[in-house]
Structure formats: structure tokens, C-alpha cells
Amino acid sequence: MELESIKGLGEKTKEYLNKQNIYTIKDLVGFYPYRYEVLSPEVLDNTSKETTITINAKVVTEPTTAYIKSSLNVLKFNAETYGKVIRVSIFNRAYLKKSITIGKDVILTGKYDNIHNSFTASNLKLGILNDSLINPVYHSIKGIKNPKNIIVEAINYIEEDNNIIPKNYALKHNLITNKKALEYIHNPKTIEEVEKGRNRIIHEELFEFLFKVNYLKHLKDKETGIAKNIDIELIKRFINSIPFKLTNDQLNGIKEGLNDLKSNKRMNRLVLGDVGSGKTIIATTLLLANASAGYQGVMLAPTEILATQHFKNLTKYFKDFDVTVELLTGKMTKKEKENVIKRCESGEVDILIGTHAVLGDKVSFKNLSLVVTDEQHRFGVKERDTLKLKGNKPDMLFLSATPIPRTYALTIYADLDVTEIKEKPSGRKDVITKVKKESELKDVLLKILEEVKLGHQVYIVSPSIEETDESIKSVYNLKEKFDIAFHSKIPIGILHGKLKKKEKESVMNDFLENNTKILISTTVIEVGVDVKNATVMVIFNADHFGLATLHQLRGRVGRNDIDSYCYLICNKEVERLNVLEESNDGFYISKKDFEFRGEGDIFGIKQSGDMNFNMLNLKRDYDKLLTLQSNVKEFISSKDYENNEYYKNIIKNIDFYN
Ligand code: ADP
Ligand code: MG
């Protein structure tokens, strides 16, 4: 239902809400408080001026107002609380002047300074507070003073129940209705109400999520694909031409993939392996196999840098093989793009490598039948599946370095077959990792010098491009500092997302060809970038990054059998950083990160839009997930969803993407 339906909601308010991505009543009631304030009336004695308290008071003087700036005014009056008269001031409440008359009871929240006998209030309500009062606290919405009022009004327009949890299961788990839950969340009288409300919403998010994955699995189990006629001799010849010896896990991954391609069941496979475990070559081999059967394939990468790198590598690998590989990225010229698109359409291109640009409407294929998505957690379900529609029941292969614990993987990727790559290519050494304070930078500089002298290269990563905050070392700022430190004698490149495509390419090329020795960059190099000669990774303001990101960044070095180093620069004591000193194992690190921060960004999935949970926290609520899992499976196998409007609707959308 649209926001307009709410009586008394003005155009202006609607605009403010839209800016916050709130477009419907459902969005609005889903704007949950991020915390609750519990206010209990206190007496002034014994309170320190640092703590926020709530008191009951009676107004004893007419209030005065003073305008300090156009955006700042102050309202002042005296009030009596438990026999003591105090001076009260509150900012930006001039509009309350008329309602605060002598004799009125007010509830004040704020801080009391007993030396000056002054109370600086942050909140003022009329009335007397007897028991405690629970105040939901919302993230602010520009232009709206108290979102609670509008939200509570909007709840009136919500149906009693939304059937996201079918009634029999709601009963079984003792859950209140959706509407009741919203009332309890936005307008609670007790903490118990908040808990009950949240419990219902968490169950809703879980039920829906589990429904989607299990239903997809159910659909995919029935899917047929093309049984491909692969030139096995060619594949053997290719594997022998690879300049390194494949690990057993890689060979196994290739074998599983080939079986999928040959079978008439459609491939839906996830290759899960830590950074540097060598997933690319598996996909490369399968793309060749697919081409050998006479079909086109696509490899989708999340960044231009990565797509370009894949393009170069594949072109090199295939130099003695008769396959045509092309690149398509958004930043190519119109003409270049048109040319590639035409040749995809005609079937001339066997393998297309690209970024999001490949998903565009204009791109079509003659007979696309294998879609590889690299760093799949960077893409949303819709994006990934758009490509499906461009092909004829294409086989789908996903590559992911998101090292999630296996149990979680099995529930999250319930709809996929999972190939795990555990073994690292032989000769790989752990990256020697140290957390350092800025004051210890000298050690780091010496190591950089030493490595550069050995002919090796260095990455330096900063969280920001330009200086916004003094405590953060920006890319440009670091360039200056390193130029000074090395007397401008070491060639340094700069890379970040705001550079033009051509600039990025030439910076990356200079680094690849060892013309620049140091690359100062933002996290654009986080995924996939592969320069074997790089041996040092220095990350400034390391506390700004999650463990998963740091581990990925570190994965840019140690891609060879020579010793590599990673320095995490951080002036604060941040316990989680020690985990990286301890271990190079992505799965261990993810487990630790999980313990430190709940699901956090370790899944990397959050950003992808697959799992945008509002209240649910997979780690905390994992037990609930396990209990619901069997309910959801039963709901699907009994086909009860066919009588549920909500899920019928979801299925319509899922169907579209399959
Ligand atoms: P990721 O799994 O992170 O995508 P890549 O596929 O980029 O890893 O591989 C990392 C590096 O290791 C690449 O330079 C690749 O050529 C190299 N590599 C892959 N497999 C092997 C192997 N079996 N032996 C030696 N080097 C390998
Ligand atoms: Mg990769």
C-alpha cells in the first residue's frame, strides 16, 4: 500500500520518507528502532552531571526563548522537582513555548549540573512519569522530527496478519501476529513486548529466507540442461599446457564440472575456496570444455580490473587453442562495445568476459550455455540470474572466496551443489603478518626498501581516496609521504575507483609489468587481482576494515613461493587484528570474525542483496533457523504454499528468474 493512503500524511513528509527509501506503508512500518531508551523517574540527589536522567517536574516560571542562530534557539524556564527549583534549558524547542505554562507537569530527560543548578534537557514531554517508559529510538530521517508518530499511525493500515508465517507454524512456535508485533516494536509498554515483537519479525525473516532457498532447490532439482558433447582430448591437452601442476582439489573441481556439463541436469555449482586457492583455472577449463562442445560461455567479474585481468589470462592460456575470447566492460567506447556485442550475437565470440555491462539489455548470444560468476557474493541473485535468461538453460558456475563455515554454507547455498577447494597450490607460504603502530612505520619502510631492491613489488592500501579526516591516511596523502620517504626514487602508482578506465588500465599495466614498484590503492584491488611478483601488503587504518576484507586484501600477496609480508597499520589496540597475525586460513578467520561480530560482513553476502535481513542475525538466531528448517521443508513438500498469497507471489518472481 502506498504512503498516500495514510490520512494526514503530507507531500513534504512523503518526500522526506522517499529519500530514506521508504515508499510504501510496509517500508515505513519496517523502519525499526535501532535501540530503546528506558526512562524511569529519578531524584536529583546523587546524580553525576555526566549521566542522563529523567525527572518529573512542575513548571514554575513562564518560559523565555532566545534565538542564537537561524537553526538554533533555546527555551528556558524554572521548574520544581521534589521541592527543589532548578533552571531548565532545552535547545530548539521554541515551538513549545505556548504549551509550557506555569503549573504544567513535565517529564525532562537530560543532564543535571548541581554546581550551577541547571538542567540541560535533551527531551521534554508533558505529563507525569509514574513507572518506567520505553522510548524507541530511530535513526534520524531528515525533515521528520519523530518517526514514531507516523509509524504508529501507519500500523493502523496494516492487515492483522501477513501470513509470512503460516498460521499452524505461528501457533506451534507461540508467535503473535504481524500487526501485534509491529505495535509492540514501535510502541511498547514493556521490554517483554519488544522481545515478543522482535521474535515474530525474526521468525518471519527466517521463514521467508528459508522458503526461498528451499524452493529454489526444489525447482533446480527438476531442471534439465543440455547434455554436452565435450572434446575430452582437447581438455587433456589444455591441462597439460597449464604452466603449473593442478592440485587434487582443482582436478576434482574440473571433474565435477565436466560431469555437470555432460549430464542433462543443469549445472548449479558453487566452487568455494579461499583466496589464492586457484579457482580461476577450474572455470577456465570448463569454459574451454563448453566451447569445445560448440557453445558460448560468459565469465562475469565484479570489477573492471578483475575482468580485464581474466581476459588477459585466458587469452594467454588459450593462445594455442582455437577459441575466441572477448572483453566487455561498461567503460569501453560505444563503438568497441557494439563490435563485441555484434560478434557475441553472431556466435563468433566463444567466451565473453565482462563486468555488469554484460547484463545489459543489448547484449545477446547465439547459444550461451555456461555462465561463470566470479566472486559471486558481489552480485545479487537477480544480477546473476539475468544472464540465465540470455541463454538456453545455461549451466551456472559460481566462484566464491567467502569462507563461511560449512554448516552455514549448506543452509545459505541450499540451492547449489558445493565444491570445496581446501588445498593450496604447492609451495605457497603463509604471509607473515604484523600489526604495527604508525610510530613503527620505519620498520615497514625498511622492509619495503629491502623487497623493492630484490625486485619485488608492494601494495599499499588506504580506506579513502582523498583526505576527509585527519586520522585517515588517504591515497594521495600516502603518495606524498612515501615519495618523501623514498626521495621519489621508487616509482609509485595510484589506483582508485574514480580514475578513468584508461587511467586505471595504464596504472594496472605499469604495476603488472613491474614499471611501478609500489601501488597505492583503495580496496578496488580487494578481489581477484593477481600480481605474482608482489610480496608486501601494507594496510593503513586497518581497523576500518572487516577481517574478511583484510584477509582478501592480504591474499593479493603470497601468490608465489617467495616470502611475503603484510603490515596492518593501526594506532589503536584492536583485538581482532591479531587473528590475522595468527592465521592465514580463511575458514579459521571467518569463524573468528563470526565470533567477534556476529554475521558482520564476513558473509560478504549482505551487500549482495540476497540476505538483507532487518532484524535477523544469522549467528544469534541460528538455533531458530534450524528449528524452522524442517517446518519450511514440510510447507514446501505439502504444497501448502499454493494456498498462501504471500508465497504465491514470491514464487511468481522466482519463476521469472529461472
Ligand atoms: P583465486 O582462487 O583467489 O581466484 P586464482 O585463481 O587467482 O585464485 O589463483 C591464484 C594464483 O595461483 C594465480 O596466479 C594462479 O595462476 C596460481 N595458481 C593456481 N593454481 C595453481 C597451482 N596448482 N600451482 C601453482 N600456481 C597456481
Ligand atoms: Mg579469483
Side-chain angles (χ1 to χ4, degrees):
M1 225 191 324
E2 301 305 310
L3 289 173
E4 280 90 350
S5 336
I6 303 176
K7 229 169 62 191
L9 187 127
E11 193 55 32
K12 206 83 215 149
T13 311
K14 200 187 112 195
E15 272 170 34
Y16 288 134
L17 290 172
N18 288 351
K19 279 216 181 99
Q20 194 76 36
N21 287 327
I22 297 172
Y23 295 97
T24 62
I25 292 187
K26 195 167 160 245
D27 295 340
L28 182 57
V29 297
F31 188 76
Y32 302 125
Y34 70 97
R35 65 182 181 90
Y36 293 86
E37 240 171 29
V38 182
L39 308 177
S40 324
E42 291 186 57
V43 193
L44 280 184
D45 311 345
N46 312 327
T47 57
S48 101
K49 65 178 189 183
E50 311 305 336
T51 43
T52 301
I53 53 168
T54 297
I55 57 170
N56 283 314
K58 203 182 264 303
V59 178
V60 294
T61 60
E62 287 295 338
T64 59
T65 49
Y67 288 82
I68 302 159
K69 279 192 287 190
S70 66
S71 59
L72 188 65
N73 60 63
V74 60
L75 177 87
K76 291 185 173 176
F77 58 89
N78 290 353
E80 187 200 313
T81 176
Y82 293 97
K84 180 170 186 167
V85 174
I86 55 173
R87 303 201 322 239
V88 179
S89 55
I90 182 164
F91 288 103
N92 288 341
R93 295 298 198 295
Y95 61 89
L96 288 177
K97 185 166 191 245
K98 285 215 182 79
S99 38
I100 306 212
T101 48
I102 294 176
K104 276 266 165 77
D105 290 313
V106 286
I107 306 163
L108 301 169
T109 302
K111 290 176 181 167
Y112 177 63
D113 172 353
N114 65 348
I115 295 173
H116 302 95
N117 189 32
S118 64
F119 192 95
T120 310
S122 55
N123 204 353
L124 180 160
K125 274 185 202 289
L126 294 175
I128 300 176
L129 179 63
N130 293 317
D131 280 330
S132 46
L133 185 84
I134 303 179
N135 240 351
V137 184
Y138 297 86
H139 287 294
S140 61
I141 301 181
K142 194 170 172 276
I144 296 178
K145 245 192 260 88
N146 191 357
K148 179 180 161 181
N149 298 338
I150 317 173
I151 297 172
V152 169
E153 172 64 24
I155 295 174
N156 292 326
Y157 295 79
I158 291 280
E159 304 252 348
E160 191 54 40
D161 207 346
N162 54 11
N163 294 320
I164 293 184
I165 302 174
K167 285 218 174 54
N168 45 337
Y169 300 117
L171 226 68
K172 198 165 160 180
H173 296 283
N174 238 332
L175 302 172
I176 55 178
T177 63
N178 172 264
K179 186 168 186 161
K180 197 89 218 152
L182 293 171
E183 282 165 12
Y184 280 177
I185 285 166
H186 292 291
N187 202 11
K189 284 189 209 63
T190 60
I191 284 295
E192 289 70 38
E193 288 189 352
V194 175
E195 279 313 315
K196 274 191 183 157
R198 289 176 55 89
N199 189 41
R200 159 80 199 196
I201 302 294
I202 287 167
H203 273 85
E204 281 183 11
E205 290 185 6
L206 271 173
F207 204 96
E208 180 172 340
F209 167 65
L210 288 173
F211 179 83
K212 284 181 184 162
V213 261
N214 285 291
Y215 188 77
L216 276 174
K217 170 87 179 148
H218 162 84
L219 286 183
K220 284 177 180 169
D221 283 346
K222 294 189 298 196
E223 281 178 350
T224 52
I226 305 167
K228 290 167 190 166
N229 208 347
I230 289 161
D231 183 346
I232 289 296
E233 286 313 310
L234 178 92
I235 298 304
K236 282 189 188 154
R237 186 156 69 80
F238 176 70
I239 290 178
N240 284 328
S241 77
I242 298 172
F244 43 77
K245 190 170 173 292
L246 294 178
T247 63
N248 287 328
D249 280 355
Q250 285 172 318
L251 285 169
N252 178 54
I254 291 172
K255 201 173 94 199
E256 288 182 340
L258 289 175
N259 284 338
D260 291 345
L261 292 177
K262 286 191 279 189
S263 104
N264 65 353
K265 199 185 143 221
R266 181 141 135 206
M267 177 200 291
N268 274 301
R269 185 168 295 280
L270 174 73
V271 177
L272 202 60
D274 206 350
V275 254
S277 62
K279 297 179 291 293
T280 320
I281 198 68
I282 299 176
T284 307
T285 312
L286 295 176
L287 282 163
L288 178 67
N290 184 61
S292 80
Y295 295 96
Q296 290 174 295
V298 157
M299 178 134 137
L300 192 62
T303 66
E304 206 182 308
I305 294 170
L306 189 52
T308 311
Q309 178 186 290
H310 283 327
F311 173 67
K312 284 193 177 148
N313 284 336
L314 264 65
T315 311
K316 211 162 61 196
Y317 283 135
F318 292 150
K319 77 177 185 310
D320 296 328
F321 293 81
D322 185 22
V323 276
T324 309
V325 186
E326 270 298 351
L327 177 71
L328 186 70
T329 70
K331 292 200 175 152
M332 283 162 48
T333 66
K334 200 165 161 229
K335 210 156 162 202
E336 289 170 331
K337 275 190 255 183
E338 277 170 5
N339 181 30
V340 172
I341 290 171
K342 215 162 72 204
R343 292 171 54 230
C344 281
E345 231 171 71
S346 70
E348 203 181 317
V349 172
D350 297 310
I351 296 168
L352 180 67
I353 298 178
T355 54
H356 288 80
V358 172
L359 307 174
D361 292 342
K362 294 209 181 94
V363 185
S364 67
F365 297 86
K366 188 168 171 221
N367 61 4
L368 174 64
S369 90
L370 173 60
V371 174
V372 179
T373 310
D374 193 15
E375 308 288 347
Q376 67 88 29
H377 57 282
R378 289 295 186 105
F379 295 91
V381 169
K382 279 191 192 172
E383 289 170 306
R384 297 197 301 246
D385 288 357
T386 304
L387 272 174
K388 264 191 187 178
L389 299 175
K390 292 185 189 284
N392 176 21
K393 298 186 176 169
D395 285 314
M396 305 293 284
L397 180 70
F398 306 102
L399 310 184
S400 179
T402 318
I404 48 177
R406 193 170 167 77
T407 39
Y408 293 91
L410 290 180
T411 24
I412 290 161
Y413 300 119
D415 60 322
L416 300 173
D417 294 317
V418 179
T419 296
E420 259 188 303
I421 309 290
K422 287 197 179 133
E423 198 183 348
K424 288 205 168 165
S426 65
R428 284 294 157 73
K429 293 180 175 164
D430 279 355
V431 179
I432 300 155
T433 304
K434 293 260 176 317
V435 180
K436 294 261 178 198
K437 296 219 164 26
E438 249 180 85
S439 54
E440 301 167 299
L441 212 54
K442 199 166 152 221
D443 304 345
V444 180
L445 291 176
L446 287 175
K447 179 52 93 185
I448 293 177
L449 260 181
E450 194 181 305
E451 286 295 307
V452 169
K453 273 192 190 143
L454 288 170
H456 300 154
Q457 289 165 283
V458 178
Y459 290 104
I460 291 168
V461 172
S462 144
S464 81
I465 301 175
E466 270 154 288
E467 183 155 317
T468 42
D469 170 341
E470 240 182 84
S471 65
I472 296 175
K473 298 274 168 292
S474 73
V475 168
Y476 285 102
N477 188 281
L478 286 172
K479 165 92 163 72
E480 241 172 68
K481 290 216 154 79
F482 278 90
D483 273 339
I484 293 172
F486 298 130
H487 307 289
S488 299
K489 284 199 177 121
I490 300 179
I492 300 179
I494 280 196
L495 188 70
H496 56 74
K498 285 199 179 151
L499 294 179
K500 297 217 173 67
K501 176 178 181 256
K502 281 251 148 33
E503 296 171 315
K504 267 190 231 163
E505 253 174 23
S506 85
V507 171
M508 212 46 228
N509 249 336
D510 281 341
F511 193 64
L512 261 171
E513 282 168 14
N514 205 350
N515 298 332
T516 40
K517 303 292 169 185
I518 299 179
L519 184 65
I520 305 186
S521 158
T522 54
T523 51
V524 289
I525 55 149
E526 177 189 344
V527 288
V529 172
D530 185 34
V531 178
K532 288 199 179 55
N533 192 45
T535 53
V536 185
M537 166 63 72
V538 185
I539 303 169
F540 279 83
N541 297 99
D543 54 316
H544 281 237
F545 302 105
L547 284 186
T549 301
L550 292 170
H551 177 63
Q552 285 278 340
L553 284 169
R554 176 171 64 176
R556 297 310 119 218
V557 297
R559 306 199 139 227
N560 213 322
D561 51 8
I562 36 184
D563 278 335
S564 299
Y565 307 86
C566 174
Y567 297 100
L568 306 170
I569 313 291
C570 177
N571 285 334
K572 289 177 238 156
E573 277 300 324
V574 181
E575 200 191 333
R576 71 192 153 90
L577 295 181
N578 302 336
V579 175
L580 292 161
E581 281 187 332
E582 257 166 51
S583 168
N584 267 263
D585 174 355
F587 286 87
Y588 172 79
I589 291 165
S590 90
K591 222 175 81 213
K592 280 290 180 188
D593 199 25
F594 219 66
E595 286 167 21
F596 275 113
R597 341 190 308 140
E599 77 201 271
D601 77 348
I602 187 65
F603 281 124
I605 297 165
K606 262 233 148 113
Q607 340 161 359
S608 74
D610 291 21
M611 301 171 80
N612 270 328
F613 302 128
N614 231 331
M615 265 189 195
L616 176 65
N617 171 318
L618 273 182
K619 183 191 172 202
R620 186 195 58 205
D621 302 321
Y622 199 65
D623 288 345
K624 290 188 177 114
L625 182 147
L626 289 180
T627 354
L628 272 188
Q629 177 80 313
S630 59
N631 293 168
V632 173
K633 285 190 168 152
E634 185 182 295
F635 182 58
I636 292 174
S637 63
S638 65
K639 294 203 186 300
D640 274 352
Y641 57 84
E642 288 174 358
N643 306 316
N644 181 312
E645 284 308 313
Y646 189 83
Y647 287 101
K648 261 162 61 183
N649 221 350
I650 286 184
I651 287 169
K652 252 192 248 155
N653 290 322
I654 288 184
D655 266 335
F656 174 72
Y657 288 108
N658 277 270

